[in-house]
Structures are given as structure tokens and as C-alpha cells.
Amino acid sequence: MRSENEPTGQKSRSFIEDARRAQIVAAAIDVIADVGFAQASLARIARQAGISKGLISYHFAGKEELMTEVVVVTYTAIADHVLAAMQGVESPRELLRTHVLSVATYMRGQRKGLKALGQIFGNLRDADGRPRFGIRTNDEIYRSLENIYRAGQAAGEFRDFDVRVMAVTHSAAVDAMFAYWVEHPEHDLDEHARQLADLLERACVT
Amino acid sequence: MRSENEPTGQKSRSFIEDARRAQIVAAAIDVIADVGFAQASLARIARQAGISKGLISYHFAGKEELMTEVVVVTYTAIADHVLAAMQGVESPRELLRTHVLSVATYMRGQRKGLKALGQIFGNLRDADGRPRFGIRTNDEIYRSLENIYRAGQAAGEFRDFDVRVMAVTHSAAVDAMFAYWVEHPEHDLDEHARQLADLLERACVT
Amino acid sequence: MRSENEPTGQKSRSFIEDARRAQIVAAAIDVIADVGFAQASLARIARQAGISKGLISYHFAGKEELMTEVVVVTYTAIADHVLAAMQGVESPRELLRTHVLSVATYMRGQRKGLKALGQIFGNLRDADGRPRFGIRTNDEIYRSLENIYRAGQAAGEFRDFDVRVMAVTHSAAVDAMFAYWVEHPEHDLDEHARQLADLLERACVT
Amino acid sequence: MRSENEPTGQKSRSFIEDARRAQIVAAAIDVIADVGFAQASLARIARQAGISKGLISYHFAGKEELMTEVVVVTYTAIADHVLAAMQGVESPRELLRTHVLSVATYMRGQRKGLKALGQIFGNLRDADGRPRFGIRTNDEIYRSLENIYRAGQAAGEFRDFDVRVMAVTHSAAVDAMFAYWVEHPEHDLDEHARQLADLLERACVT
DNA sequence: AATGAATGAGTATTCATTCAT
DNA sequence: TATGAATGAATACTCATTCAT
């Protein structure tokens, strides 16, 4: 098993172990999305996965490692998607629109993963009670958004505004788009994304 | 117990009982803001209030009622403040700016209350696992914001956009402003509010 | 409850709480003596005491605090008894005999307590895996025994030997007397004590 | 599995199986000596041996059989050593001294084995909670020591004392010598042994 | 109105053991 | 022979809630 047989690093994980870990992560996402972080006990996750409680402990060092894995998996997937979409786009205005729209298209298939992500971000604390994610990770997002806005200002396409405020607002607006859509499945996500892209674009241009 | 003797409403509550409830609510806000929803046990809240655990159960039917009360109290207070600030303002653009700026000024003195509010919103579930707040309560906010935007559109000052998307974005942007300021206390809240007001205004005008 | 309501120190413990703690300590002694330290779970101790598992956690901060209390209670009692018996005795040879004989008489009524003490001494470890008792506490015993032997040497009654070796041997011999008697209840404890006193006395005199 | 295929005795065990069992026993001794009986899980022992957990179960019917093997192996080795040293010695007084001194020399190279032995003796219980070793095994030691003392009495070299008390004390004194040396590695083991031999000899002679 | 004592269900985690490969 | 995967029972501990006083 991983934490016993491979104490040195995250090197070679057997195929079957990878599959189990993925299965457990998927079950965790389902449970967290459905009942919330606080109610997402390992027992419930195990039941969802159709395995024994002990098996989770066998594959993950602890609950925190599982939660971290959920975050990493979900996060990496969305980042890959968005970065791929933005590849080759030059114009700051187009980058802005592409970011909003590609996040929205990705969301469509990842409702639960993103919902779980939000729960973990907002709730997971380390031993001394401080948020495990949130600040640091959000700051990464903020920085990448700021780059878009700064490029637009440098190109003279965007007016002079505080890029951090714009990044915080942009990020929150995208999150809210997702949250609203999750709660109102009949809501038109694509149209929302277009509206939001317009909104942000207008807020930026001179 | 109260909720059994007075099942009809929240009518006659003795002065001392009101005081105790307020004291407990205040302690709950402090604890939730400090250690997060999941770690906010009744024992911790009681200790913070300097009373016994049993007394909380005496004054509240259960943990959920206490959490609900925290939400209602905090929520009512901020709504009163914002509504008072918007009283007499006519222009939609001014209403918009006033809303953002008055929320910011209110936040300054209510860090903990708002932080606790966010925690409860994101975490409190009822018995069957569905979020206790969120949809319904947010919808009230959305509707009041929509009124502002619709008025602006009716007056010809605002362009034609989806008012629900704008309301969702506006609300999320204000929440994010608060959250960012809570985590970065050195951040200039007033300037953020002004920037956000500019941003939203520009996004709306024709 | 203690650890919540009296976080400052070990000051005022209510009468009823003292009684419960004593009851739990007694149950712990019974269980440890009967099934050994490793099998002495809180569940088993609670069952022995006829109370719920939770109540142990209510009265003791954790298992270690309970074990420590068992040690302190048992240890203090035997030390008081032996010291009282040795009070007023002057001659080193008599002190030596008195120590052995008074320990034996005390043992008679404290079989389980002493058995439990031995188990805890030999097994309780703190978080980093080092024995919680043992060395330090034994050293206290050794020192007090050494005082007796050194006095005998100073008075010229005892020959010149290593007092630490004698103390270690004395202590072990007394423990073994007890252990043997526990396992062979028909064994004549008083006669064993007399034989042991003779043995040690002869080993010391010139 | 072994104990099923060869239920009659410990007859034919393949060479490789013997080697594995020895390797596992050695690992168990290391782990028990280092972290204590209670923390000595099969997983930890397997890791120490560099093999999988399952392999221990393959070679031993259960944890208890492994522990028993540790005791038997260690015990047999020390008995062989001591008996060899006493071979040819005739005088009871010399036998007594030889026993103490040869045990001490053996200890020097067997710290861990003896430490583990003590842990298992003090902790291993069978299903119904009674000590697995202790009584029976100690009685063997007692009897062999009694033979020495009785021979001394028969030869008129030793005074008239209870040989069982003397044997119990002798055994305990030797164990304590070991335990003290294990905890105080700077302690002079050889000098302790000489002092102890003097002590016992003086306690016996007329 | 308030407390401290008590419960029992629930938490994460550990571990000896089993078993298919 | 040997492994890695899996189980299920047991562990200490937490906590909302109840209740006699």
C-alpha cells in the first residue's frame, strides 16, 4: 500500500491502486457535493464508493490527503481545460472573453467537482485551525487573471483600474455563475457566460 | 422550553431571555468567524459566552435554530443599514454606487458577523442534507438588486442586459470584496468599493 | 465538567465529580489488573464502571490522564503507608526490615492496584513513544532506598557495597514478592517478607 | 499454511521457511524493543523485515504464535549460554556466582532480545485475558535456581532458608539488573553483576 | 433560569487477518 | 512463496442533546 510501501515519494503507483484512488476521489466529490463538507464523513464516502471504511485509510494517509487529492484533481483538470482554450489567443479582450466562456463550458460537465471544490476551499482547515486552501490558491488565480488585465492596459485597450480588484471581482463572478447554475439547472449557462463576458469587457475598456 | 410553549411565533419573549439569546448569538458569531463552522461546537460557543452548554439548549431548540438566528440577526442588520443609506437616492447610477459603498462601510464594523454568515451559508444543511440557506435568501438579494438595474434600464440610463446575471455578479463581487478584505486586512476597503462601483457602473451604462 | 469549566488548574472539583473520578479510576484498576494494559480499553473500563464511554471522556481529558491518575492514586497510597510505618524507626537494620514488611502488609489489600501500577509503568508511552513512567519514578524509589543503605554504612552496621545495586535489587525483590503472591494466592506472603528481610539484612551486614 | 499442513509438530520445515521465520522473529525483536509491545503492529514488523504484512500471516498462524516464537528463541539462547557456562562447575557458591555473571555477559549482546522478552512477558495474553507467559515459564527458572540453592544447603555451605523465596528474589534481581542497564547504558554491568553475586552469596552462607 | 452530569451516536484511524493472484 | 488489496472490528475521542436538580 502506498503510505507503507512507498514512503519515499509519490513515485510508482500501481494501476489498480490508481483506479481505487480515483474511485474514492470520485465518491468523495459526489458526497461532498451532495451533503456538504461537514457531513462528508469517511463512512459516507466509503458507502458511496461501495467499499469498506478501512480501504480509504488504506489508500489515503488520512482525510486531509483525500481532500487535497480532490482539490488537486479537480483543479488541475479545470486549469488544463481553460489554459488549452486560451492557447493562441492574443488580444486581451479575447483572452478575457475566452476565459469566462471556457470556464463555463468546462463547468457543464463538472458540476459536482466544482461544487465539492468550493466546499473544501471554504472548510478544510489544518490542525491549528487555519484554512488549508483559499488564500494561497486563490492568489494564484488572481495573479493569472491580473496578467490578462495588465496586458490589456499595456496595450492601451483597457482603462486604468486596480487589477487586483478586477481579478477578485472576475473570479467571484465566475464562481457565482457556476453556483447559480448549480442551484438553478434550468438557467442558461452559455447565455450567462456571454452576458458576463460583455459585462467585464465593458467594465474594462476605455 | 420556548419553542414548545410559543409554537405560534416569536411573540412574547422575556427581556432576560432576549438578552441571553443575543449574548449566545454574539458568542456564536465570534466562534464561527474564528474557527469555522465545522469546529464551532456548542461547547465552544458556550465557553465563549461564559455560560454552560445546557443553557444554549434551553434557549434554542437546537443548533440549527441558533445558526438560523445568527443569520437572521446579521442579515437584518446589514439590510437595515443599506436600505437606510439608499433612502432618498433616486438616480439608478447613484443607487448602484450607494449600495456598493454602504455595504463596504457597514462591513468595516462587522467583519466577524459577515464571516460567520458566509460560513453558515456555505455549510448549514437541514436533516435531509440540503442547504438550509443559499437559494431562497440569495434570491431576495437578487430581486432587490434587480430592481435597481431594471429601474436604470427603464430610465434609459442602463443598456439592455440580463438583470439576473448582473445581480448575481454584483452580489458575488460584493461578497468577494468582503472576503478578500477579511483575509488581507491591510487591503484598502474603501478604494476597493470605489473601484467596484466604477466597474459595475461602466458595465451598465450604454 | 472539569477540563472545560476549570481550564485554569486543578482547583475546585465538585464532590460528585471526585466520586465519579474515583469510581472510574477503580474500574480502570480492576480492568488493567484483570486483562492487562493493552486490552484495557476505555470501553471495557466504562462497562466495568457501569457507565457510558462518553462519561470517561467527560471526566478525564484522555486515556493518558486516566492512567496517570491511577498511578498517582495508587502510588501515593502505598508511599503514605510505608512512610508511616517507618516513622520513628532509627536503626538502619530495622528500617530495612520495616520497609520490606510494611510493603508486604500493604500489598495484601492492594493486589489489583499494584498489578495495574506495574502494567502502566511497563506500558504507558507518550506521543513520541517513550515510556511515560518508569525511569524517573523508579529513580525516586531507588533514592529513598539508598538513603537507608547509606545510613547503615555510615553507622558502620553495613558493609561497603554499591548502594544503587542494592536499591535496584531490593526494589525488584519486593516487586517479585508481590508478583509471585498475586499469581500464587496460597503463597505465604508474610513468611516471604520475613525471608526477604533476612536475606537483604544478611547481604548487607559486615 | 504450515500449522495446518503439519499439525502434529514442528518437524519438517523447509530451509527457506526457517530462514524467513528467523528473519521475522528478528524484526519483531527489534520493533518490540524499540517501540514497546503495544505499538508493535504486524505492519511495523513487516516494514522492519522488508517484507509484506501478508507474509507474516503466511509463516505464523497469528500474532500470538510469532510472539511465542520470539520468547522461545530468545529464551532458549540464553538458557543454552548459561547452562554451558555452568557446565563443570561443582561448588554451589561458584554455581551461584557463575549464573549471575554468565547471564550478565550474555545480556551485553542481547539487549534488544531481552527487552523484547520483558515486553512480551508483561503483556501477551491469550484470548481469555490471562497472561500467556509468566507463571509456567518462570517456574522453570525458579526450579533450576532452586536446585542450585538446595545443593548448597545439602552441602552445608548455605544456611537454611526458603529456596523458593531465594529463587524468586534471585531471578528478579537479575531481571532488574538487565532492565536498569537497558535504561542506563552507561551503567557498569559487570560491576553490577559482581556486586549482585556478592550480595546473593552473603545472603546464603551461614 | 441555569447548571453540571450523563448519554449515545458518530468521528477518523489502526490493525490483525484473509484471499485472489 | 509472496504480495497487495481488502475487510471489519476495535480504538480513543467529540458532540448535540437531555435531564434532574
Side-chain angles (χ1 to χ4, degrees), chain D residues 68-100:
Chain D
T68 303
E69 182 96 339
V70 169
V71 169
V72 169
V73 165
T74 313
Y75 213 77
T76 307
I78 189 167
D80 287 351
H81 177 91
V82 172
L83 289 176
M86 300 203 305
Q87 199 71 22
V89 181
E90 296 289 335
S91 145
R93 293 169 70 154
E94 271 313 300
L95 275 174
L96 175 54
R97 302 194 67 86
T98 304
H99 182 273
V100 173

Side-chain angles (χ1 to χ4, degrees), chain A residues 78 81-82 97-110 114 174 177-178 181 189-194 196:
Chain A
I78 189 168
H81 177 91
V82 173
R97 300 194 69 87
T98 304
H99 183 272
V100 173
L101 297 173
S102 69
V103 168
T105 62
Y106 185 76
M107 280 176 176
R108 164 146 296 119
Q110 300 295 330
L114 291 166
V174 168
M177 169 173 66
F178 160 68
W181 171 67
L189 182 59
D190 294 326
E191 173 60 14
H192 189 134
R194 273 191 300 274
L196 179 56

Side-chain angles (χ1 to χ4, degrees), chain D residues 17-50:
Chain D
E17 179 165 4
D18 275 343
R20 269 281 186 244
R21 284 176 67 97
Q23 176 194 11
I24 294 169
V25 164
I29 288 173
D30 281 350
V31 171
I32 296 168
D34 282 352
V35 305
F37 182 86
Q39 268 71 35
S41 67
L42 291 189
R44 214 154 177 167
I45 293 168
R47 203 186 323 141
Q48 173 79 21

Side-chain angles (χ1 to χ4, degrees), chain A residues 16-74:
Chain A
I16 179 163
E17 181 168 4
D18 274 341
R20 268 281 187 247
R21 283 176 67 99
Q23 177 195 8
I24 293 169
V25 165
I29 288 173
D30 281 349
V31 171
I32 296 168
D34 283 352
V35 305
F37 180 86
Q39 266 70 37
S41 67
L42 293 188
R44 214 154 178 168
I45 293 169
R47 205 186 320 137
Q48 172 79 19
I51 58 174
S52 70
K53 261 187 312 175
L55 194 52
I56 296 183
S57 295
Y58 177 74
H59 285 288
F60 293 90
K63 193 178 189 179
E64 186 175 310
E65 197 198 295
L66 171 55
M67 293 301 159
T68 303
E69 182 98 337
V70 169
V71 169
V72 169
V73 165
T74 313

Side-chain angles (χ1 to χ4, degrees), chain C residues 46-108:
Chain C
R47 204 186 321 135
Q48 171 79 21
I51 58 174
S52 70
K53 262 187 312 176
L55 194 52
I56 296 183
S57 295
Y58 177 74
H59 284 288
F60 293 89
K63 194 178 189 180
E64 186 175 310
E65 197 199 295
L66 171 56
M67 293 302 160
T68 304
E69 182 98 337
V70 169
V71 169
V72 169
V73 165
T74 313
Y75 210 77
T76 307
I78 188 167
D80 286 353
H81 177 90
V82 172
L83 289 177
M86 300 205 305
Q87 198 71 22
V89 180
E90 296 288 335
S91 145
R93 294 168 70 154
E94 272 314 299
L95 273 174
L96 175 53
R97 301 193 69 87
T98 304
H99 183 272
V100 172
L101 298 173
S102 69
V103 168
T105 62
Y106 186 76
M107 280 175 176
R108 166 147 292 123

Side-chain angles (χ1 to χ4, degrees), chain C residues 34-36 39 119 122-123 125 135 139 142 159 161-162 164-166 168-169 172-173 176 180 183 192 195-196 199 202-203 205, chain D residues 35-36 119 122-123 125 129 135 139 142 159 161-162 164-166 168-169 172-173 176 180 183-184 192 195-196 199 202-203 205:
Chain C
D34 283 352
V35 304
Q39 268 70 34
Q119 283 284 319
N123 290 291
R125 314 249 159 168
I135 309 176
D139 271 5
Y142 295 156
R159 66 184 175 89
F161 50 76
D162 184 318
R164 175 52 55 112
V165 169
M166 187 60 78
V168 169
T169 303
Y180 190 84
E183 302 296 349
H192 189 134
Q195 290 268 341
L196 179 56
L199 190 165
R202 279 171 184 272
V205 294
Chain D
V35 305
Q119 283 284 318
N123 289 291
R125 312 267 159 156
I135 309 176
D139 272 4
Y142 295 156
R159 64 185 176 90
F161 49 76
D162 183 319
R164 175 53 53 111
V165 169
M166 188 59 77
V168 168
T169 302
Y180 191 84
E183 301 296 347
H184 304 78
H192 189 133
Q195 291 268 340
L196 180 56
L199 190 165
R202 282 171 183 269
V205 295

